[in-house]
Amino acid sequence: MNKNIISMSKIDKYYDDFHVLKNINFEVKRGEIVVVCGPSGSGKSTLIRCINGLEEIDSGTVIVDGIDINESKKSLQTIRGEVGMVFQHFNLFPHLTILENITLAPGLVKKVNKEEAQKVAMELLKKVKLEFKANAYPSDLSGGQKQRIAIARSLAMKPKVILFDEPTSALDPETIGDVLSVMKDLAQENFTIVCVTHEMGFAKEVGDKIVFMDKGVIVEESTPNEFFLNPKSQRAKDFLKEILTH
Ligand SMILES: Nc1ncnc2c1ncn2[C@@H]1O[C@H](COP(=O)(O)OP(=O)(O)OP(=O)(O)O)[C@@H](O)[C@H]1O
Ligand SMILES: [Mg+2]
C-alpha cells in the first residue's frame, strides 16, 4: 500500500485570470497530522477543497488513497466518501435534532439502517462528550458544541481523512478548548488530518508537519519545532510575528 494517502502534484488553479494555486506539490502520509497555515488569501482553503473535489483544478493530479480524483465521476464520489470535511461554519440543519443531523448522511448515502446509524451516532456523541444533546436542536447549542457535532457528523461517514478548515476561528474563546481537545483525540487515533488553523498550540502538540503558504505557493514545509523555532523564510517570520502579537 502506498504510504501517501494524499498526493497532489503540480497543481495549478485559476479563478478567472487570478492564479490561486501555483504548481503545488502536497503529500500526506497515512495517519499524519498536517497543519496548513499562512496569511489570509494565500490559498489554504482552496488547496484543501481540491483534495475532495470541492474545487476543480486546472492542471496537475490529485490522488487520494490510490484513486485519481479526475479519472471519472465515480472516483470523485469514492473520494468524497473517504474524505470528511469540517468547516468554520458548521452548517448543521436547524430543523433536525442533533441525532438526526448525524444520522442523515449515513442513511441517505451509505444506506445504513436507522437503528445502526443511531447506535453509531450515540457512540460518536459520547466521543465528543455531548450525548445529553442527542434530542436537542442546533439552536440550543453553543458554537463550540455545534462544531463538536459537526465533527461527529463527519465521523459518522467513517472517513479515512478529515479536512478541517479553520474549525475554531469563529468560536468564542471559552469554547475553543473543547473542540481542540476532540481534534487532539482524533489525532491520537490514527486518523489522517489536514487542518487549516492558526491555533499554534494545537500545531505544536499534535502536528507532524506544518505547511506554510503564501500567495498560492507552499513556501515552507517542516516540523512544528523547526517552523516555530527556526522559520527559514522572511515571509514565515513575518507571519509568525503577526499571529503571535494578536
Ligand atoms: N470562488 C472564488 N472566485 C474568485 N476568487 C476566489 C474564490 N475563492 C477564493 N478566491 C480568491 O482566492 C484567493 C485564495 O482564497 P482562499 O479562500 O483559498 O484563501 P485562504 O488562504 O483560505 O484565506 P483565509 O485565511 O482568509 O481563509 C483569495 O484571494 C480569494 O479572494
Ligand atoms: Mg480560508
Side-chain angles (χ1 to χ4, degrees):
M1 209 180 342
N2 190 331
K3 70 178 193 319
N4 287 332
I5 190 157
I6 300 169
S7 291
M8 302 173 89
S9 97
K10 298 187 177 161
I11 304 296
D12 278 288
K13 176 168 178 66
Y14 294 81
Y15 288 120
D16 297 320
D17 50 9
F18 177 64
H19 199 175
V20 58
L21 298 178
K22 301 171 185 161
N23 195 28
I24 296 271
N25 294 303
F26 179 77
E27 293 185 336
V28 180
K29 295 192 192 83
R30 280 172 211 280
E32 198 170 36
I33 312 298
V34 178
V35 171
V36 180
C37 65
S40 178
S42 56
K44 306 177 298 292
S45 295
T46 307
L47 173 69
I48 67 164
R49 290 164 64 87
C50 289
I51 298 172
N52 62 352
L54 287 177
E55 297 287 351
E56 275 181 38
I57 54 174
D58 291 297
S59 62
T61 51
V62 178
I63 296 178
V64 180
D65 202 17
I67 303 169
D68 185 333
I69 202 166
N70 282 320
E71 201 171 84
S72 66
K73 264 204 175 129
K74 188 156 179 292
S75 61
L76 176 62
Q77 275 171 5
T78 310
I79 287 173
R80 291 232 172 114
E82 291 189 4
V83 179
M85 184 146 190
V86 176
F87 302 92
Q88 183 177 19
H89 298 286
F90 357 91
N91 309 322
L92 299 177
F93 290 111
H95 60 291
L96 299 181
T97 66
I98 296 309
L99 196 63
E100 287 163 348
N101 263 282
I102 299 175
T103 54
L104 185 69
L108 283 178
V109 181
K110 295 204 161 166
K111 312 286 177 224
V112 178
N113 73 47
K114 197 170 167 188
E115 202 179 313
E116 172 63 18
Q118 287 187 346
K119 190 173 145 251
V120 171
M122 287 311 296
E123 283 162 13
L124 291 170
L125 280 173
K126 218 177 205 172
K127 193 188 193 85
V128 300
K129 302 192 173 61
L130 287 171
E131 62 270 47
F132 63 103
K133 291 288 189 188
N135 296 311
Y137 285 86
S139 58
D140 302 329
L141 272 62
S142 72
Q145 290 175 332
K146 281 188 240 189
Q147 193 58 297
R148 278 142 68 198
I149 297 302
I151 295 172
R153 177 180 57 179
S154 166
L155 293 173
M157 295 297 279
K158 302 195 190 315
K160 292 184 180 165
V161 179
I162 313 177
L163 310 175
F164 288 93
D165 193 354
E166 303 208 38
T168 58
S169 59
L171 301 178
D172 292 334
E174 64 271 23
T175 70
I176 291 176
D178 291 336
V179 173
L180 289 175
S181 152
V182 167
M183 292 168 62
K184 285 175 195 167
D185 289 346
L186 299 180
Q188 309 301 343
E189 281 174 40
N190 255 341
F191 276 101
T192 305
I193 293 178
V194 181
C195 183
V196 177
T197 184
H198 292 164
E199 288 291 340
M200 293 302 146
F202 173 81
K204 278 186 197 165
E205 199 176 324
V206 299
D208 296 307
K209 183 165 90 178
I210 302 228
V211 168
F212 171 69
M213 290 185 74
D214 192 22
K215 300 191 175 80
V217 174
I218 292 180
V219 180
E220 282 192 38
E221 237 186 277
S222 52
T223 61
N225 260 343
E226 247 174 80
F227 183 71
F228 291 112
L229 294 176
N230 196 14
K232 295 188 231 26
S233 63
Q234 190 57 44
R235 284 193 269 181
K237 284 178 194 159
D238 293 344
F239 170 76
L240 284 170
K241 206 157 122 199
E242 181 79 13
I243 59 166
L244 294 175
T245 51
H246 274 89

